[in-house]
Amino acid sequence: MKINLYSIAYPVTSLGPGQRLVIWTAGCRKSCEGCISPEMQDSNAGRHIEVERLLRHFMRLNCTIDGITISGGEPFDQADALAELLEGISVHKPEWSVIVYSGYKMKEILENVPDALNILRNIDVIIDGEFQKEFPSEHPLTGSGNQKIYYLTERGKEMKVSIDLLPQNSINFGIGYKHDMLIGVINENARNIIHERLGIKG
């Protein structure tokens, strides 16, 4: 099975506790106004890669990784590929914690995603809900205040303290094959300041 992949970065410290492997999927049906990553909404923006090949790459990483964060795009728009990826991680890297972002609410995932419970059992923490720029966020991992964080497993519940202590507007820098990336959940003002200092337009 193939997953429509936009980008990978590691080690990342701005999207969850510890040093994390982060993957972004391509394609999202939400098109939220003010989306922090509109370039990932188009499904044609990504590359289709066999999940098995991706997992093999992860197994060869020669750096400390504490967990994986999956964002996009919309991971649950590729539910079958997401399920295979998460199952592979649970088998080959059970020590990795798993954080997943979704523009869908938990209720929508449970009602509309086939085999949702099987997918969710391999996720420690899920951050759900559309980005709504009129609701500012006060949490380091939510883009807007309407989004909720669900701690689904015992390990997820144990992560809550370290997640709550993450600094606001923390970022990492990534170099992509299409463009460079600011990695992290930052508000519009902070993003504009960084863009201005780096000479980035938009």
Side-chain angles (χ1 to χ4, degrees):
M1 183 175 298
K2 293 185 177 182
I3 188 168
N4 192 358
L5 182 70
Y6 184 86
S7 191
I8 303 174
Y10 57 88
V12 170
T13 59
S14 57
L15 286 175
Q19 296 195 137
R20 309 190 70 78
L21 167 69
V22 180
I23 73 169
W24 293 267
T25 61
C28 179
R29 304 185 187 111
K30 288 289 186 180
S31 299
C32 301
E33 183 181 356
C35 174
I36 197 171
S37 51
E39 69 279 4
M40 301 180 197
Q41 292 178 1
D42 186 352
S43 60
N44 293 319
R47 295 174 293 168
H48 289 85
I49 297 177
E50 290 285 347
V51 171
E52 185 178 341
R53 177 186 170 193
L54 199 58
L55 288 167
R56 287 200 303 269
H57 173 68
F58 294 167
M59 299 311 106
R60 294 194 298 267
L61 293 180
N62 188 25
C63 63
T64 299
I65 298 293
D66 299 301
I68 183 168
T69 298
I70 303 173
S71 187
E74 174 50 58
F76 281 92
D77 281 349
Q78 306 180 58
D80 289 344
L82 177 64
E84 183 175 330
L85 176 64
L86 292 174
E87 185 63 32
I89 290 167
S90 73
V91 170
H92 298 292
K93 289 291 183 179
E95 70 275 18
W96 283 6
S97 63
V98 177
I99 298 174
V100 177
Y101 280 86
S102 177
Y104 297 110
K105 293 181 179 179
M106 179 67 78
K107 184 174 185 289
E108 294 177 296
I109 293 171
L110 290 170
E111 290 179 350
N112 300 321
V113 175
D115 207 18
L117 290 176
N118 189 48
I119 298 174
L120 293 172
R121 71 180 176 86
N122 286 320
I123 298 174
D124 296 301
V125 179
I126 188 166
I127 300 163
D128 82 337
E130 296 181 2
F131 173 76
Q132 297 180 9
K133 66 178 185 178
E134 64 270 26
F135 298 111
S137 171
E138 296 183 357
H139 192 278
L141 288 187
T142 59
S144 57
N146 61 293
Q147 295 174 327
K148 294 182 179 180
I149 303 176
Y150 293 87
Y151 300 93
L152 302 180
T153 65
E154 286 304 313
R155 178 165 59 188
K157 293 171 186 175
E158 292 171 1
M159 293 166 63
K160 185 179 187 306
V161 172
S162 56
I163 286 176
D164 289 343
L165 290 175
L166 290 169
Q168 289 274 6
N169 295 311
S170 175
I171 61 166
N172 297 132
F173 294 95
I175 299 175
Y177 79 101
K178 292 185 178 180
H179 60 81
D180 296 344
M181 300 174 67
L182 298 179
I183 303 171
V185 182
I186 54 177
N187 63 42
E188 187 174 6
N189 288 337
R191 187 165 66 248
N192 289 340
I193 290 170
I194 295 169
H195 281 184
E196 182 178 351
R197 289 178 177 174
L198 294 177
I200 300 172
K201 294 183 179 180

